[in-house]
């Protein structure tokens, strides 16, 4: 759905230019010459952004902003002002305008500001709606949000294979949500009523790992004063999630391969096999194929585990989803900590888009929880967001690189999305536009702007 802009400008030539310019950019535009008429249009139709000249005949742009803010704290509002009225524009920012643009303005500057304002409003509408909804206890679908093509591809694969008992291998950096994705696959499967048992292969000492996996009989080793069921047996009828599978020692790899092939386990010290019925999902932050090539992981086990291989992208590779994650986290921590956050400052939003988030979703979640806890009102400001040394000591910030500007980050994400869509569509621009959810004319404009060839 095209974002809806309401443009208020009493100079006919400027009004016509803005109307045509933003329609070419893919927006649905309503253009009116007065604040009074704009007010009437707002009563008739919901809009995503208001762009208003500051000085108008009759009701001024600031008066219109005040009227809107009395009933709507979220709707973004951009002021267009002449150089001589900057002070009034700054006053409009204090009242609640998203930004101001001075005449004469550069088209690219105005377009960029409008795009950010629309995204800002969309995120805060999402926050408001989420706050009104009941919390879905045990919701593990947080990962499965966003519009990035990589996640759409993963979701499509999951929908096809979840109902089967096929082994799935999830690879990705630490903090990308591999456990959440495994739980999501389990929840969609025919085993969803059965247990979901997680085994962290990297957290258990080697001498205890086999006992935890396969169980043991009484007297199997010193300290085994009674028999114990293994976690693989505990997962009978459900799913076993082998996290950090790349840490599995060679001897245990052999036993696990036999278990998967024969669907039976032999407890440590035991003589009789036990039949099990489990689905295996495994995960690692390593490149397991390279581990196989270097001899660090068994090739036959690798192919048993990776019948369906999935690679979770890092958060920096799906920046178009960042604000949706933020909205979900704010909602979660509002409920958990009895807070009422409904807004993020412009500075905080810019910072969120700039940071590389090397800790991925886990790091973002921790930062948002801290910011919610430290916020006193309904807004997360730069002070709350930066508390704890985000600017200086943040482990996700690369001190060896120049800061990534918001505009640059967004443009890079958009260029990558367009290139992916063209590849999927095999160069067919009409199909690529459909994949991207934009008009064909809009795609042509973007191809020219970014100088992208098919």
């Amino acid at each position: 759905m095209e974002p809806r802009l309401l443009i208020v400008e009493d100079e006919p030539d400027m009004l016509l230019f803005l109307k045509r310019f933003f329609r070419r950019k893919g927006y649905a535009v309503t253009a009116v010459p007065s604040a009074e008429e704009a007010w009437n249009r707002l009563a008739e139709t919901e809009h995503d952004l208001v762009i208003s000249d500051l000085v108008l005949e009759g009701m001024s742009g600031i008066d219109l902003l005040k009227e809107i803010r009395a009933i709507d704290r979220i709707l973004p509002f951009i002021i267009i002002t002449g150089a001589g009225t900057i002070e009034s524009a700054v006053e409009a920012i204090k009242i609640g305008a998203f930004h101001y643009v001075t005449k004469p303005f550069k088209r690219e500057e105005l377009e960029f500001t409008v795009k950010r304002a629309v995204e800002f409003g969309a995120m805060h509408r999402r926050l408001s709606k989420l706050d009104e909804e009941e919390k879905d206890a045990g919701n593990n679908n947080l990962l499965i949000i966003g519009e990035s093509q990589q996640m759409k591809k993963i979701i499509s694969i999951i929908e096809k294979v979840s109902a089967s008992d096929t082994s799935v291998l999830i690879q990705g950096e630490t903090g990308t949500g591999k456990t959440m994705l495994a739980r999501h696959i389990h929840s969609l499967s025919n085993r969803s009523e059965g247990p979901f048992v997680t085994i962290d292969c990297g957290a258990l000492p080697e001498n205890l790992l086999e006992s935890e996996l396969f169980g043991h009989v009484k007297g199997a080793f010193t300290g085994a004063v009674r028999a114990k069921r293994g976690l693989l047996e505990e997962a009978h009828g459900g799913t076993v999630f082998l996290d950090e599978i790349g840490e599995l020692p060679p001897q245990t790899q052999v036993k696990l391969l036999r278990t998967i092939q024969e669907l039976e386990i032999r407890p440590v010290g035991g003589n009789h096999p036990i039949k099990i019925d489990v689905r295996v999902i495994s995960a690692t932050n390593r490149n397991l194929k390279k581990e196989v090539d270097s001899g660090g992981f068994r090739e036959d086990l690798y192919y048993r585990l990776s019948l369906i291989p999935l690679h979770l992208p890092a958060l920096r590779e799906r920046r178009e989803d960042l604000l949706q994650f933020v909205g979900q986290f704010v909602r979660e921590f509002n409920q958990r900590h009895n807070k009422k956050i409904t807004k993020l400052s412009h500075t905080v939003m810019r910072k969120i888009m700039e940071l590389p988030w090397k800790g991925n979703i886990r790091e973002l979640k921790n930062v948002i929880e801290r910011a919610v806890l430290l916020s006193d009102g309904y807004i997360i400001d730069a002070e709350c967001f930066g508390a704890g040394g985000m600017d200086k000591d943040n482990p996700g910030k690369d001190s060896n690189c120049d800061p990534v500007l918001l505009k640059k980050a967004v443009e890079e994400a958009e260029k990558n999305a367009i290139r992916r869509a063209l590849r999927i569509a095999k160069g067919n621009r009409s199909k690529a536009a459909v994949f991207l959810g934009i008009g064909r004319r809009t795609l042509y404009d973007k191809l020219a702007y970014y100088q992208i060839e098919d």
Side-chain angles (χ1 to χ4, degrees), residues 335-349:
Q335 294 176 332
R336 183 180 301 178
H337 303 300
N338 195 27
K339 294 282 188 172
K340 297 181 179 180
I341 304 297
T342 60
K343 189 174 181 182
L344 280 68
S345 73
H346 305 160
T347 302
V348 169
M349 290 185 64

Side-chain angles (χ1 to χ4, degrees), residues 44-221:
E44 298 169 358
T45 307
E46 184 177 356
H47 289 77
D48 299 297
L49 172 66
V50 176
I51 306 172
S52 176
D53 196 357
L54 180 66
V55 181
L56 300 166
E57 292 186 9
M59 183 190 293
S60 69
I62 286 186
D63 291 335
L64 176 61
L65 174 60
K66 289 179 179 178
E67 292 292 331
I68 291 174
R69 283 293 169 262
I71 61 171
D72 189 336
R73 293 190 306 172
I74 295 175
L75 179 62
F77 195 105
I78 293 175
I79 285 283
I80 298 179
T81 179
T85 53
I86 294 296
E87 186 176 342
S88 297
V90 173
E91 181 62 27
I93 296 293
K94 294 179 180 179
I95 296 172
F98 177 82
H99 206 353
Y100 69 89
V101 178
T102 57
K103 297 179 182 178
F105 52 78
K106 294 181 180 180
R107 298 182 184 187
E108 294 80 6
E109 176 192 359
L110 179 60
E111 181 186 1
F112 178 73
T113 303
V114 165
K115 187 176 181 179
R116 296 285 67 74
V118 169
E119 291 178 352
F120 179 87
M123 188 196 74
H124 285 298
R125 284 196 302 275
R126 176 181 289 273
L127 275 176
S128 296
K129 290 178 181 178
L130 288 173
D131 281 338
E132 294 171 359
E133 296 173 357
E134 291 183 358
K135 185 175 181 180
D136 181 11
N139 177 29
N140 295 308
N141 296 335
L142 174 62
L143 177 75
I144 317 300
I145 63 174
E147 299 301 321
S148 61
Q149 292 299 316
Q150 293 156 297
M151 286 309 303
K152 286 182 177 179
K153 183 177 180 180
I154 288 174
I155 293 168
S156 175
I157 294 172
I158 288 172
E159 290 173 347
K160 295 175 182 178
V161 305
S162 287
S164 71
D165 287 337
T166 306
S167 298
V168 179
L169 173 64
I170 307 170
Q171 298 184 87
E173 295 180 9
T174 299
T176 49
K178 297 187 288 294
T179 301
M180 284 189 289
L181 184 58
R183 286 186 177 276
H184 183 65
I185 295 171
H186 172 72
S187 70
L188 296 178
S189 73
N190 297 329
R191 299 172 174 269
S192 59
E193 298 299 321
F196 179 87
V197 177
T198 298
I199 302 172
D200 190 340
C201 300
L204 294 170
E206 186 173 345
N207 61 330
L208 294 179
L209 181 59
E210 288 194 14
S211 173
E212 290 294 321
L213 284 171
F214 308 107
H216 63 256
V217 299
K218 181 179 179 181
F221 50 84

